[in-house]
Amino acid sequence: MLAQANPNNGPIRVKELQRLESEVLDLGSMVEIALVGSVDMLKRRDLAGAQQLITLHRRINKKRFTIEMDCLTLIVTQQPLDGDLRVITSMMEIVSELERMGEYSRDIARTPFMVIDGPLLALLVDIHAMATKTQGMLHRALQAFHQRDLVVARAIPAEDGDVDALYSRVYQDLLAFMKDNAQAKGNSRAMVNQGRYLGRMARNLERIADQVAHICGWVAFAVAGEMEVMETDSAPVVAEHAVNRGAEYVPSEVPEASRGESQSAA
């Protein structure tokens, strides 16, 4: 569903726009795999699979910049008209959002290296629900772009409230867990720090859901020619701050035992 082509270059540019749009959708599929897979790897304690997803971000990053360069080349060489120019601009912004989502998914994929089996893994029920909901929102946002469906694009951001509700519940559960373990003997500090890793994991999922709304805004620009601020519910922050005060700082890195391999793939 492409805009009217420039009659001077029409057939060539329409074909190229179709190719670029296909590349954008392929990039979106890669991000969807990374998003849901990163949570699945923790659930299954699959460190090899998590490492593959960390490596996947390199491909996501490379593909993002290739698409952007192709878009710029098309603008310079074909001088697209208004409708096509909006589509090309939207594609450049959408792949930028997708790459950021890939970064968050890569950080989530590092979590299995930091969280061992234990009672905290019970929280994965809600975290997995966050990932599944966010992946569904992203998939439908990309389909809305492909089909130039402004109605669907405007409806999706309201679903962010469901992700925020799950996010809040995860943090409340983490707060309760940390409170119970703060005064306990033994490995309480390690358990509290693992709680922080899961909290960061949930926060990254919430941010990805927010970025889906940004993509919906660019769908509106491609279709209607005007940017729309897609409203989402604000994420709960009180619980997050409380969790962060409850444990020592832990850098967003793979532990020393796995650091060399993971950093080479980041």
Side-chain angles (χ1 to χ4, degrees):
M1 299 183 65
L2 299 170
Q4 199 69 29
N6 186 327
N8 294 326
N9 306 298
I12 297 175
R13 189 155 58 81
V14 168
K15 183 177 180 179
E16 183 64 7
L17 276 174
Q18 290 172 336
R19 184 190 70 81
L20 282 174
E21 187 165 327
S22 177
E23 293 292 331
V24 172
L25 297 177
D26 286 346
L27 179 60
S29 295
M30 292 169 65
V31 173
E32 288 183 45
I33 290 171
L35 168 60
V36 176
S38 60
V39 178
D40 286 341
M41 293 307 108
L42 176 57
K43 187 177 180 180
R44 300 204 303 261
R45 305 297 298 124
D46 185 347
L47 299 186
Q51 184 61 53
Q52 290 178 356
L53 292 176
I54 293 171
T55 304
L56 176 62
H57 181 259
R58 297 171 62 183
R59 293 170 50 203
I60 290 173
N61 193 50
K62 181 178 180 180
K63 193 174 186 69
R64 172 253 177 120
F65 285 114
T66 299
I67 293 171
E68 286 183 334
M69 183 58 67
D70 288 348
C71 286
L72 289 172
T73 300
L74 192 60
I75 291 172
V76 171
T77 61
Q78 299 293 327
Q79 300 178 1
L81 299 176
D82 178 62
D84 286 341
L85 183 59
R86 292 200 311 268
V87 170
I88 295 170
T89 302
S90 297
M91 286 195 286
M92 293 177 67
E93 295 294 336
I94 288 171
V95 297
S96 178
E97 296 290 346
L98 288 172
E99 194 274 331
R100 291 189 189 100
M101 294 179 187
E103 287 184 352
Y104 287 132
S105 298
R106 177 197 60 193
D107 290 344
I108 293 171
R110 288 171 170 161
T111 309
F113 293 96
M114 307 170 187
V115 177
I116 61 174
D117 294 318
L120 277 173
L121 294 185
L123 296 177
L124 285 180
V125 174
D126 284 339
I127 290 177
H128 192 274
M130 288 180 68
T132 301
K133 178 65 178 178
T134 303
Q135 181 269 333
M137 292 169 61
L138 174 58
H139 184 81
R140 284 180 285 116
L142 292 171
Q143 287 301 307
F145 175 70
H146 178 59
Q147 298 168 4
R148 308 295 188 264
D149 193 333
L150 187 53
V151 173
V152 171
R154 285 171 171 163
I156 290 171
E159 300 176 32
D160 181 65
D162 297 335
V163 179
D164 285 347
L166 290 165
Y167 173 61
S168 180
R169 190 159 67 195
V170 168
Y171 266 105
Q172 292 299 327
D173 290 343
L174 281 172
L175 281 174
F177 176 84
M178 290 181 176
K179 183 177 180 180
D180 291 342
N181 282 270
Q183 304 301 324
K185 297 180 180 179
N187 63 345
S188 61
R189 182 178 294 274
M191 294 301 292
V192 168
N193 282 331
Q194 288 183 49
R196 288 200 65 204
Y197 286 127
L198 288 183
R200 186 179 295 125
M201 185 179 187
R203 176 58 172 162
N204 284 343
L205 289 170
E206 191 278 331
R207 286 171 173 167
I208 293 173
D210 285 344
Q211 287 179 299
V212 173
H214 299 170
I215 290 178
C216 292
W218 286 107
V219 174
F221 178 76
V223 174
E226 294 183 1
M227 281 297 300
E228 295 186 18
V229 178
M230 301 294 181
E231 296 294 336
T232 63
D233 293 337
S234 298
V237 295
V238 175
E240 179 182 359
H241 291 165
V243 168
N244 288 337
R245 289 196 304 269
E248 64 179 6
Y249 171 74
V250 182
S252 181
E253 292 278 352
V254 175
E256 193 69 35
S258 307
R259 187 170 296 169
E261 180 182 9
S262 298
Q263 286 186 342
S264 65

